[in-house]
């Protein structure tokens, strides 16, 4: 009788591929939360506070964000190619520009939600290589500076712009240092595991040699 051949084990997924896929899905989820928050804030400002807002133009921008996020979600496949850093950075750049457009239509730099432009910066610094995160940092600061030039800001946005630069710089520096420390710790742990495996292998060879003597 022929011995049945056991089925081959399924290949284990690449951890880096899984991490990149999870990161892309995280951005999709964060974008849905941001869109829902923008809608709720717009309705509250218009209906409760009685603020006159260009709701048609703001709805158009929100619709573009919804369409963009739907396309992004549909493009993500569990077994598809990993999402590279430049794609994540480009998505965060689009989020920054869309958020800036909404702020420009709803009070400019004096809108307290201007601080939300820090979110794409922190996500870029946390998820992308520093060379990919730098353009998002510069773009967000340039957008806040542009908001200070709008007539609605009435020349009162300089202090907010300086505060935004300070906050984005400090948070970016802290996040980069934290990433470097975590990477160094992971490398040290990997080195310890490698040394232990080599020591166990030497011990096994020594026992084998003594048994053959």
């Amino acid at each position: 009788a022929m011995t049945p051949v056991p089925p081959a084990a399924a290949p284990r997924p690449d951890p880096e591929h899984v991490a990149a896929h999870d990161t892309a899905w995280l951005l999709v989820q964060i974008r849905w939360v941001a869109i829902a928050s923008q809608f709720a804030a717009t309705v509250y400002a218009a209906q409760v506070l009685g603020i006159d807002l260009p709701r048609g133009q703001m709805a158009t921008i929100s619709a573009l964000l919804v369409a963009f996020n739907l396309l992004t979600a549909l493009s993500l496949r569990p077994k598809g190619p990993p999402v590279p850093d430049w794609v994540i950075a480009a998505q965060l750049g689009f989020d920054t520009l869309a958020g800036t457009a909404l702020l420009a239509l709803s009070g400019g730099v004096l809108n307290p939600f201007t601080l939300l432009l820090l979110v794409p910066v922190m996500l870029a610094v946390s998820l992308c290589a520093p060379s990919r995160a730098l353009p998002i940092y510069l773009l967000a600061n340039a957008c806040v500076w542009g908001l200070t030039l709008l007539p609605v800001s009435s020349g009162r946005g300089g202090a907010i712009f300086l505060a935004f630069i300070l906050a984005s710089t400090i948070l970016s520096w802290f996040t980069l240092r934290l990433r470097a420390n975590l990477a160094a710790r992971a490398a040290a742990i990997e080195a310890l595991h490698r040394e232990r495996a080599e020591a166990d292998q030497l011990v096994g060879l020594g026992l084998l040699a003594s048994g053959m003597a």
Side-chain angles (χ1 to χ4, degrees):
M2 297 181 61
T3 304
V5 178
R12 299 183 62 182
D14 183 9
E16 294 186 1
H17 188 179
V18 174
H21 185 268
D22 292 345
T23 297
W25 268 115
L26 176 62
L27 291 181
V28 170
Q29 295 167 4
I30 292 175
R31 195 173 293 114
W32 284 132
V33 172
I35 293 171
S37 301
Q38 291 165 4
F39 177 79
T42 302
V43 172
Y44 179 82
Q47 301 297 329
V48 178
L49 301 180
I51 301 176
D52 186 19
L53 295 173
R55 283 175 284 181
Q57 296 176 349
M58 297 179 70
T60 300
I61 297 174
S62 297
L64 289 175
L65 280 170
V66 170
F68 175 76
N69 211 32
L70 282 174
L71 291 176
T72 302
L74 293 175
S75 67
L76 296 177
R77 299 185 301 273
K79 296 183 179 180
V83 181
D85 268 4
W86 71 267
V87 173
I88 294 177
Q91 293 179 9
L92 294 173
F94 178 82
D95 294 333
T96 302
L97 293 174
T100 302
L102 289 171
L103 290 169
L105 295 171
S106 57
V109 76
L110 300 180
N111 188 324
F113 290 101
T114 300
L115 291 177
L116 291 180
L117 291 180
L118 285 171
V119 175
V121 177
M122 292 300 95
L123 288 174
V125 174
S126 301
L127 303 175
C128 302
S131 60
R132 302 295 187 185
L134 179 60
I136 306 304
Y137 165 84
L138 296 175
L139 176 63
N141 282 279
C143 287
V144 174
W145 175 73
L147 291 174
T148 64
L149 302 179
L150 297 176
V152 70
S153 301
S154 303
R156 295 176 293 172
I160 297 176
F161 174 54
L162 293 177
F164 188 90
I165 291 179
L166 183 62
S168 61
T169 302
I170 292 176
L171 290 174
S172 298
W173 174 82
F174 175 79
T175 305
L176 288 175
R177 288 295 303 271
L178 183 61
R179 286 186 62 181
N181 291 339
L182 291 176
R185 182 181 301 178
I189 293 175
E190 179 65 24
L192 288 175
H193 288 168
R194 186 167 57 252
E195 291 176 0
R196 181 175 179 180
E198 292 174 354
D200 291 343
Q201 185 178 12
L202 289 176
V203 171
L205 292 175
L207 293 175
L208 180 61
S210 62
M212 295 177 61

